[in-house]
Amino acid sequence: MKNLVILGGGYGGMKILNELLPNHLPEDVQITLVDRVPYHCLKTEYYALAAGTISDKEIRVAFPEHPRLAVKYGEVISIETTDRKILLKNAEPIAYDELIIGLGCEDKYHDVPGADKFTYSIQNIEKARLTYSVLNNLGPGSVVGIVGAGLSGVELASELSESRTDLNIKLFDRGNHILSAFPERLSKYVENWFNKNNVEIINHSNITKVDENSLYNHDQQIPCDVVVWTAGIQANEIVRNMDGEKDRMGRMVITPLHHLPNDEHIFIVGDCASLPHAPSAQLAEGQAEQIVEVLKRRWKGEEPPASFPQIKLKGILGSLGKKHGFGMMADRPITGRVARILKSGILWMYKFHQG
Ligand SMILES: Cc1cc2nc3c(=O)[nH]c(=O)nc-3n(C[C@H](O)[C@H](O)[C@H](O)COP(=O)(O)OP(=O)(O)OC[C@H]3O[C@@H](n4cnc5c(N)ncnc54)[C@H](O)[C@@H]3O)c2cc1C
């Protein structure tokens, strides 16, 4: 029996399972899924978990069940490509024939002193829970600094401002306008929303240091009771430690068929893969579909295609609390209640399809 090992049951790993398990897994192939969390987590909702507006249970989805799927709960510590083995913490190594690495990403602190030690995170479930705990235990009038005003910083700031109207929230951003990846019209819409909802935006900021109860903007000390870091990501450390070419986010460079250039049995999916788009759940799923196509062809003894068409992304939606939103759909800006309803609808559909 051949072993297809999937590291990480995130958006990429789950899509691969959902595509293969119903009826595309040959009789002589079994799958081993390894994750340090015993269920699939809806990472796109971590901002709401941290803000205290949804419960933990709402963002958990059970892994699928299948006679030829073994789910291994554990922490991956290293990938031994020469021996084709995965090393786990306090458990036996796992041998693979084919490997798919979908371990997601981590915060990137850009060498800002103290940022790794004194800031909170929403990049994994354990850290998002801790962030929930510190934010929701704050007394009235406490100051929360959120560093980085991309999608996740904006979603966290807005959700928290609705959840805790008594807090003083400061959103630090490098640019002229927040949400630099979006058209200016959308940035201005979101800035207006923040002005009306008691979130202070600090543009042109450059965080030079963080310590226990303050951050330093251009070396000027600003007292903060809690600082949350949403100012950049990089590939999971396990991937950053692998041999091979990586991009500036530590993501592995891959071929058009999503495997390593020097090993066609190791595929990289999602936030660990160097792709010409911003990392997203949607992208991880699109890539997963193409990886499944390669595997299916190979298992049938057919040649996989030389390359795939570009992955089609439907757009991106962000929330501003529970009633408003913003985003780009089919290259058109969209704001207000409709954007929020669409975002909730997409989440509902995702959960529905996961059973
Ligand atoms: C607040 C926020 C909002 C977002 N909103 C959107 C959005 O609206 N739309 C969108 O498309 N994307 C959004 N994203 C991005 C999206 O969540 C990621 O791009 C997506 O999760 C990447 O999927 P993945 O499969 O690569 O990794 P993940 O979904 O992160 O899965 C990685 C898995 O690996 C496991 N793992 C990690 N390390 C180890 C280890 N050492 N051992 C064992 N298991 C391990 C984790 O437990 C996890 O299950 C958002 C992200 C954040 C933080």
Side-chain angles (χ1 to χ4, degrees), residues 180-192:
S180 57
F182 289 80
E184 200 172 308
R185 197 189 118 191
L186 280 187
S187 303
K188 286 190 173 160
Y189 169 81
V190 176
E191 284 169 357
N192 277 336

Side-chain angles (χ1 to χ4, degrees), residues 34 51 346:
V34 186
I346 289 168

Side-chain angles (χ1 to χ4, degrees), residues 7-13 34-37 39-41 43-47 63 74-77 102-105 122-123 151-152 155 236 238 269-272 279-284 316-318 343:
L7 303 183
Y11 290 87
V34 186
D35 205 297
R36 62 178 169 208
V37 182
Y39 35 77
H40 169 53
C41 295
K43 182 171 181 178
T44 60
E45 307 310 303
Y46 286 0
Y47 70 92
F63 289 132
E75 177 84 22
V76 176
I77 52 171
L103 292 170
C105 68
I122 53 170
Q123 282 306 333
L151 180 67
S152 48
E155 290 193 315
N236 187 299
I238 307 290
V269 70
D271 291 357
C272 294
S280 71
Q282 228 184 112
L283 183 62
I316 184 108
L317 289 165
K343 187 170 167 86

Side-chain angles (χ1 to χ4, degrees), residues 55-335:
S55 78
D56 204 288
K57 189 168 182 296
E58 281 172 73
I59 58 165
R60 297 180 214 150
V61 170
F63 289 132
E65 290 183 13
H66 187 277
R68 273 178 291 124
L69 168 66
V71 179
K72 179 85 192 162
Y73 168 57
E75 177 84 22
V76 176
I77 52 171
S78 150
I79 299 166
E80 305 292 307
T81 53
T82 317
D83 300 340
R84 296 192 169 216
K85 274 187 187 146
I86 306 303
L87 303 191
L88 303 177
K89 192 175 169 185
N90 302 329
E92 289 296 305
I94 298 175
Y96 64 83
D97 297 287
E98 309 272 0
L99 177 65
I100 300 173
I101 304 173
L103 292 170
C105 68
E106 300 170 0
D107 293 292
K108 184 166 183 178
Y109 297 107
H110 311 288
D111 297 324
V112 174
D116 57 343
K117 194 162 173 212
F118 298 112
T119 67
Y120 290 86
S121 164
I122 53 170
Q123 282 306 333
N124 72 36
I125 187 82
E126 207 182 346
K127 290 182 176 175
R129 285 173 183 145
L130 190 62
T131 305
Y132 157 77
S133 164
V134 292
L135 288 177
N136 288 281
N137 281 322
L138 284 171
S142 299
V143 180
V144 176
I146 297 175
V147 182
L151 180 67
S152 48
V154 162
E155 290 193 315
L156 176 65
S158 55
E159 196 80 5
L160 188 61
S161 76
E162 277 191 357
S163 172
R164 290 286 311 267
T165 50
D166 60 321
L167 294 178
N168 179 353
I169 302 168
K170 294 176 189 291
L171 181 59
F172 293 86
D173 187 48
R174 284 185 85 96
N176 281 339
H177 288 287
I178 60 169
L179 289 170
S180 57
F182 289 80
E184 200 172 308
R185 197 189 118 191
L186 280 187
S187 303
K188 286 190 173 160
Y189 169 81
V190 176
E191 284 169 357
N192 277 336
W193 191 94
F194 280 139
N195 289 338
K196 285 185 204 140
N197 288 272
N198 213 20
V199 174
E200 184 188 352
I201 299 168
I202 297 139
N203 293 117
H204 305 292
S205 58
N206 179 21
I207 307 307
T208 46
K209 186 174 142 185
V210 187
D211 63 23
E212 196 159 3
N213 283 115
S214 44
L215 58 70
Y216 295 76
N217 185 19
H218 295 280
D219 295 328
Q220 188 200 342
Q221 185 176 17
I222 300 179
C224 288
D225 296 284
V226 170
V227 178
V228 186
W229 192 264
T230 58
I233 54 167
Q234 58 186 340
N236 187 299
E237 191 182 4
I238 307 290
V239 168
R240 299 202 313 276
N241 289 340
M242 286 176 72
D243 290 335
E245 196 187 344
K246 282 152 233 155
D247 66 13
R248 63 187 176 81
M249 288 163 72
R251 303 178 304 175
M252 295 301 295
V253 170
I254 48 173
T255 68
L257 300 189
H258 310 291
H259 57 69
L260 293 184
N262 63 352
D263 192 334
E264 63 172 18
H265 300 287
I266 302 181
F267 296 85
I268 315 283
V269 70
D271 291 357
C272 294
S274 182
L275 292 166
H277 302 278
S280 71
Q282 228 184 112
L283 183 62
E285 291 196 304
Q287 212 197 342
E289 281 176 12
Q290 297 187 346
I291 292 173
V292 166
E293 199 50 42
V294 176
L295 287 173
K296 281 187 342 199
R297 298 256 190 125
R298 279 199 199 150
W299 287 333
K300 281 189 207 152
E302 295 170 8
E303 269 300 301
S307 63
F308 286 104
Q310 231 195 4
I311 296 167
K312 281 205 185 102
L313 300 174
K314 294 187 190 88
I316 184 108
L317 289 165
S319 64
L320 290 172
K322 291 287 181 244
K323 293 198 183 119
H324 298 94
F326 61 93
M328 296 294 293
M329 294 300 283
D331 287 335
R332 291 173 62 151
I334 160 170
T335 55

